[in-house]
Every structure is written in C-alpha cells, then in structure tokens.
Amino acid sequence: MGFEISALGRASRLRVIDYDYPATIAAKVLGSMFGPIYARCCVNRMANDATNAFEGSVQSYIGGA
C-alpha cells in the first residue's frame, strides 16, 4: 500500500493506492469486521507520515481547508 500526493490549490490531496482484496472467505469475513478500524489507523498513519516528511517545507492542511 502506498500514497500519492498532488497539489490542490493551497492544500494537497493525499490518495491511497495499491490495495489488494482478500483472497479467502475467512479473510473476507474478518476484513469486513475489522477492516474499517484497521484502514482508519493505516490512513491516519500514512497522512501523518506524509505530513512529517514535508514538515517545514509546506503548510499542512489535514481534514479540510
């Protein structure tokens, strides 16, 4: 999993890319139960990592302008 950053006016757009869907029935069931929580944690971490990578060079806007 990774991310792509593009300019959006005075802010930036962060897009998560390269997701693989679960292959087995068990993974699909567990994924539907726990996936949203795990995804939220992953996306927040990627957003924070991206912010930290560019800290000082640009002003960051997370959660809207």
Side-chain angles (χ1 to χ4, degrees):
M1 193 177 289
F3 61 88
E4 177 181 277
I5 301 172
S6 57
L8 186 63
R10 292 180 42 187
S12 297
R13 179 178 182 202
L14 176 69
R15 188 179 107 168
V16 178
I17 54 175
D18 198 22
Y19 174 76
D20 293 327
Y21 289 97
T24 65
I25 298 281
K28 289 178 184 177
V29 170
L30 291 172
S32 67
M33 291 170 45
F34 299 108
I37 296 166
Y38 181 71
R40 192 172 304 113
C41 291
C42 288
V43 169
N44 285 335
R45 183 170 181 169
M46 281 190 278
N48 288 333
D49 288 347
T51 299
N52 291 337
F54 294 101
E55 191 171 322
S57 61
V58 294
Q59 186 174 359
S60 300
Y61 295 93
I62 297 179

